[in-house]
Amino acid sequence: DPATGCVFAPKTCDPPNACTSGVCASGTGDCVFTPKSCADNNACTLDECDPVTGCSNPPRTCMDEDKCTTDGCNPLSGCLFTPKACDDGDPQTTDSCDPETGACIHE
């Protein structure tokens, strides 16, 4: 700067996309880019990054094709598939469930 002399402005390291962060390495002045972590520590969401929009955590789909289970999700452990209760209380029958219809069967 002609009026004040030397000016030492910090170098900016703009990341090449929304999925990285940039810092200026001390000593070399080179830009160092590292991937951003999109982890939200929730097993019921996906940890995704779009280069334009950045991090997102859409819900995880926890569905199986078995109509004899109730589908759900626990944020700590992930997808849960709880078997449908088909016990009719009669020890003389064998209780089961038809996975295609979800109907309880007592034979």
Side-chain angles (χ1 to χ4, degrees):
D1 183 320
T4 60
C6 293
V7 176
F8 299 98
K11 182 177 181 179
T12 59
C13 291
D14 293 329
N17 62 54
C19 294
T20 58
S21 59
V23 295
C24 184
S26 63
T28 65
D30 295 332
C31 288
V32 177
F33 299 104
T34 56
K36 282 186 181 178
S37 172
C38 294
D40 64 355
N41 298 319
N42 183 340
C44 295
T45 62
L46 301 172
D47 302 325
E48 301 177 341
C49 193
D50 179 278
V52 175
T53 60
C55 289
S56 66
N57 301 97
R60 179 179 302 278
T61 302
C62 290
M63 293 175 53
D64 61 7
E65 299 298 319
D66 188 344
K67 292 188 179 177
C68 291
T69 62
T70 301
D71 304 337
C73 192
N74 178 312
L76 298 176
S77 60
C79 294
L80 301 172
F81 304 105
T82 308
K84 182 177 181 179
C86 284
D87 186 357
D88 65 359
D90 183 350
Q92 301 298 316
T93 63
T94 301
D95 305 315
S96 62
C97 182
D98 182 336
E100 291 183 21
T101 65
C104 289
I105 302 166
H106 312 286
E107 300 178 312

